[in-house]
């Protein structure tokens, strides 16, 4: 049968920090403080510029049929560029074999533009398919 032990007061907590060092709000991974989630201003500017550039370049190749379609595709393109710009840039740079030649800002800019263009084209293709199958807006 299990018996409860009397509480002997607060127990010492094992610390991941070195002895004699004050605890900080930052976590530590591998002995280095973990970076915060706040983006650097230059990285955020590269994401925004790439996302907008991708949407503008796509506009030249596949024009929207209405203002509503243009707005939806532009918003989706910019958001996709902001969210998926980093991973897309890294994958594209590695695939093309130029990752060692590009700065992080250039990688992020290219990835944001590519993600934005992809979203623009996919939404445009889906709108065209919906129009052809009769589920889109009636003319």
């Amino acid at each position: 049968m299990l018996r409860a032990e009397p509480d002997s007061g607060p127990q010492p907590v094992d610390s991941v920090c070195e002895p004699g060092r004050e605890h900080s709000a930052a976590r530590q991974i591998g002995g280095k403080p973990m970076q915060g989630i706040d983006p650097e201003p230059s990285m955020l500017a590269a994401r925004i510029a790439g996302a907008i550039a991708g949407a503008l370049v796509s506009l030249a190749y596949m024009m929207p049929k209405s203002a509503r379609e243009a707005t939806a595709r532009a918003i989706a393109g910019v958001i996709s560029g902001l969210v998926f710009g980093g991973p897309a840039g890294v994958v594209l740079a590695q695939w093309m074999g130029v990752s060692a030649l590009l700065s992080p800002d250039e990688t992020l800019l290219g990835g944001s533009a590519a993600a934005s263009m992809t979203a623009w084209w996919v939404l445009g293709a889906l709108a065209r398919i919906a129009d052809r199958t009769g589920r889109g807006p009636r003319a």
Side-chain angles (χ1 to χ4, degrees):
M1 193 153 96
L2 297 174
R3 293 184 342 186
E5 297 288 327
D7 191 13
S8 60
Q11 300 293 323
V13 178
D14 292 336
S15 174
V16 294
C17 296
E18 296 175 11
R21 218 172 166 189
E22 292 184 22
H23 295 292
S24 66
R27 285 183 168 182
Q28 297 219 351
I29 296 178
K32 296 180 181 178
M34 191 169 87
Q35 186 176 0
I37 198 166
D38 297 331
E40 293 181 23
S42 66
M43 294 291 190
L44 185 59
R47 282 183 192 222
I48 292 169
I52 291 172
L56 290 175
V57 168
S58 296
L59 180 64
Y61 288 105
M62 186 184 273
M63 292 292 292
K65 290 185 178 181
S66 67
R68 180 178 180 218
E69 182 183 349
T71 303
R73 287 167 60 184
I75 290 171
V78 171
I79 290 173
S80 296
L82 290 173
V83 173
F84 300 112
V90 170
V91 168
L92 285 172
Q94 288 176 348
W95 179 69
M96 294 184 337
V98 295
S99 57
L101 303 173
L102 298 176
S103 71
D105 287 337
E106 292 169 328
T107 302
L108 194 54
L109 181 72
S112 292
S116 178
M117 287 172 55
T118 302
W120 181 275
W121 280 73
V122 167
L123 285 176
L126 290 175
R128 302 297 191 271
I129 291 169
D131 284 343
R132 287 186 184 155
T133 59
R135 294 188 184 101
R138 302 276 177 195

